[in-house]
Amino acid sequence: MLKKTLAAAVATVAFASAAEARDQIRIVGSSTVYPFSTTVAEQFGKSTSYKTPVIESTGSGGGIKLFCAGVGLGHPDITNSSRRIKASEVETCAKNGVTAITEVKIGYDGIVIANAKTASRFDLSREQVFLALAKQVPVDGKLVANPYKTWKQIDAKLPDQPIEVLGPPPTSGTRDAFVELVMEEACGKFPEIVALKSDAAAHKTACQSVREDGAFIEAGENDNLIVQKLSGNPKALGIFGYSFLDQNADKLQGSLINGVQPSFEEIASGKYPVSRPLFFYVKKAHVGQIPGMREFVAEFASEKSWGPDGYLADKGLIPMPTAERKAMAEQATSMADLKM
Amino acid sequence: MIDERTARRLARRHAAERRFKLYGMASVAVALAFLVALLVTIVGKGYTAFAQTGIAVEVSFDAGPVKEGDFAGLVKSALAARFPEVTARNDKRELFGLISSGADRVLRDMVQDDPGLIGQRRVVTLLASDDVDMVFKGHVTAESGRLTARQAEWLASLRQTGAVSLGFNTTFFTAGDSREPELAGVGGAVVGSLFAMVVTLCLAFPLGVSTAVYLEEFAPKNRWTELIEVNINNLAAVPSIVFGLLGLALFLNFLNMPRSAPLVGGLVLTLMSLPVIIIASRAALKAVPPSIREAARGLGASRLQVVTHHVLPLAMPGILTGTIIATAHAIGETAPLLMIGMVAFIVDIPAGFLDPATVLPVQVYLWADSPERAFVERTSAAIMILLAFLAVMNLLAIVLRKKFERRW
């Protein structure tokens, strides 16, 4: 009897909620885009009569998976991503009926290599970073397990202190971007690795593998943790997102990469080499079904949010150049279809 | 008269006992030291979050902007009046950066409470921005923080006139989440935690106790009940994320319940705490001496009467303790809630069991991951609230045990 009543109660609740129309935008996705997306959502909730969207921090991959699971009130309307959606993911989407998607690039995120202010500032090239962190490096024409223990061994101009770099684990989008923008870029400069090109797998391993002998320390997904460890250990370098450097400028300094320092201006102008685009994707089938979708996208794609003087710049988002911003705003408001 | 060998052995045995006591005291001391270190770091980092910097400026409540609802405009003109030398548009933007973007709410509330204010001038303490807050509390110096040189100068001039002060941070207790640290609060998370806990208690307690009573008092001892027992013990050790996956499959995908709802969160936490409650309740039931049951049976009570009149009341203290500790454990969980969408940015305070909500430990996790400096102290403060929550629950468990305790 008790069980029957319970089952009935659960069923009633379930049906009641399924029948109830959703009046709130649901967003999932990248933890890197989360601080920006939430800021826009909060502004949107405050300045319009729509409810503040609910934003889950699930990671880029997890977000796209949820986003692509189907069309309907039970599925999210927008997903944030710190990388571009993959062709395979678009296929999964299409299989589940999510065919019309609008892509919006919101700006850039700089990835910095920083250390404590009490130590001297590093001036590194991408090749030096590769030599310090790759699992295998070219020595005398051959690939060998990374022999470098101190920075001075790589280049006489660098300080004579042990290589100790704290960075994100492989599950993190920041790590993917770091590998793509620093390691892979640099490994094209070594003839020994370029020679491997015929063997795609070996080439990939040589370019993407990070050393595991203790010089590179996986410090977890939490960038604040790296910041804390760096301020306590002046010998270590850390890899994390620009907004954390911006907020902790009293304790940390960003290393120069190829002679350019990671400042807002230098990243925005594209001179600083390690920055990646950030995106969000809109499910077009939900536009018109969920109130406020069009308005939310318009708020995100407005100058007062993603412009150089907008409130997102204050949160550490690096704006796109003016022309790109204009084109992107056009694409966002007209809900153009995603082209791979 | 003890011979020498006996005396030596006795001395050794006494020494062993003293050593054992010493080891015991040492381990207690180590545990205490860890606890104290935890509390000191959390309280030391977090206590400043209970105060919030405010900047007092004279606001003139002009009828025009008030009618239009442009309270942000009032804030801006008040600041502009305080620093008349600032005229360029960019400089003004910098100046307005001293004040929180949510400062206009205070003015709106003031006018709503007392419409007579319109047309008058009042000195109002406005909420300072998080960057100013961090400088004023001394967490960063004015030069090294995010304030520009001019902002630091203006702040210094405001401080000279005594306009900058610390006040109690009520926002922290009443508001939901926000990306602006000075506007963020644990209110939404506390309410979400309460909702989830109510669901958990209302379902897990009756289900767990009736299961335990049936298994302990009524069920025949055979292979089936043994299998059930083994399974319950196993379930108690299953990692909590598995319950989250179960919740996602069962409640969200199959029963179509809404994502992020405290009802679903409570259901998942019920699944998680049920095995613990069953095990604790069975232990409490077992501890009731069989003589009580036999006496009741001897006086002609039915088996149900034996249980409801005698065994259950006597076992209640143990059952309640087990339940409360299991629930306390459940409200500290984040992992199972990730799967059902409760790890989310939610500004509005939930008003019901189906509204999107988050819970206290999730709020701690989200803030710990935020770049803004001002969230560091708020993270610790939220941990303090969570610890207070748990302490109250454990205290409740002790009080209930003392109240219902019987001795034989």
Side-chain angles (χ1 to χ4, degrees), chain A residues 2 6 10-11 13-18 20 24 26 28 31 34-43 46 51-58 66 74-76 117 221-225 228 243-244 246-251 308-311 313-316, chain B residues 45 89-90 93 101-102 105 130-131 139-141 144-146 177-181 183 203 207 210 248 251 255-261 263 267 338-348 354-356 365-376:
Chain A
L2 180 71
L6 256 173
V10 168
V13 169
F15 285 125
S17 61
E20 187 184 43
Q24 200 165 26
R26 311 248 3 181
V28 293
S31 53
Y34 173 87
F36 309 126
S37 195
T38 44
T39 309
V40 177
E42 198 176 344
Q43 279 293 331
K46 254 195 247 173
K51 273 191 174 175
T52 309
V54 168
I55 301 173
E56 286 178 45
S57 168
T58 60
L66 284 167
H75 302 286
K117 267 199 158 166
E221 296 267 8
N222 189 326
D223 285 354
N224 268 326
L225 202 70
Q228 271 182 23
S243 28
F244 287 84
D246 182 41
Q247 287 282 342
N248 294 287
D250 59 325
K251 290 190 258 178
D309 293 326
Y311 52 76
D314 193 47
K315 290 277 167 203
Chain B
K45 259 193 200 162
R89 195 173 158 271
N90 270 340
R93 265 180 53 92
S101 60
R105 279 190 218 161
D130 55 326
D131 297 330
H139 292 311
V140 291
T141 59
S144 63
R146 293 181 81 236
D177 199 1
S178 169
R179 286 298 307 156
E180 306 301 328
L183 300 175
L203 288 174
L207 278 178
S210 24
L248 174 68
F251 300 126
L255 289 172
N256 274 325
M257 289 186 173
R259 267 181 91 79
S260 314
L263 173 71
L267 284 171
L338 181 72
M339 291 291 139
I340 54 164
M342 286 185 86
V343 179
F345 175 76
I346 290 153
V347 175
D348 306 316
L354 292 174
D355 285 355
Y365 165 77
L366 287 174
W367 285 353
D369 224 7
S370 300
E372 287 83 359
R373 262 304 258 290
F375 273 127
V376 173

Side-chain angles (χ1 to χ4, degrees), chain A residues 181-219:
Chain A
L181 296 163
V182 179
M183 307 288 281
E184 287 185 11
E185 283 288 320
C187 78
K189 304 277 168 63
F190 298 105
E192 294 89 341
I193 302 177
V194 176
L196 283 174
K197 272 257 166 79
S198 52
D199 183 356
H203 183 258
K204 200 175 155 197
T205 323
C207 285
Q208 297 188 344
S209 300
V210 172
R211 66 197 291 184
E212 286 156 0
D213 57 357
F216 180 83
I217 301 154
E218 278 171 13

